Structure formats: C-alpha cells, structure tokens
Amino acid sequence: MDKDFSEGFMHDIADLLECCKENNTDNVDLKFTFEDLELKVNITFSIKQN
C-alpha cells in the first residue's frame, strides 16, 4: 500500500509502540465505539532495523 500518513498519525503509532515496550509485548488491542457500532482492532508490531 502506497499511502502518505499524517505526522499526527505517525506520532500516535509511536505512542502505541511505546506502550507495548513498557508492557513488554508486541501488540495492542484497540476498541472504538461509533454510535451503536463497536470496532475492535489488534495491532502487532514487528521491528526490523535496516
């Protein structure tokens, strides 16, 4: 996927990664509620150094 993400979005992802680091895990579960709908998202991070 070729997509440009906003700087704010990239900072939010970095915050999630920091939470994972602090909790010694590689994933985070997120839950969003929109009116009567619930969206559950699991993000798993994989770090690769160049």
Side-chain angles (χ1 to χ4, degrees):
M1 179 170 138
D2 188 18
K3 170 85 172 116
D4 291 325
F5 293 101
S6 71
E7 188 173 331
F9 176 80
M10 297 302 290
H11 285 285
D12 290 339
I13 292 293
D15 289 344
L16 294 174
L17 182 57
E18 185 65 28
C19 288
C20 288
K21 181 180 174 184
E22 290 172 0
N23 291 293
N24 196 33
T25 187
D26 67 349
N27 68 85
V28 62
D29 291 314
L30 305 173
K31 181 172 72 171
F32 303 96
T33 303
F34 303 98
E35 297 177 4
D36 62 340
L37 300 174
E38 184 175 273
L39 173 65
K40 294 181 181 180
V41 178
N42 174 273
I43 299 174
T44 301
F45 291 96
S46 175
I47 306 300
K48 177 181 175 185
Q49 291 183 331
N50 293 330

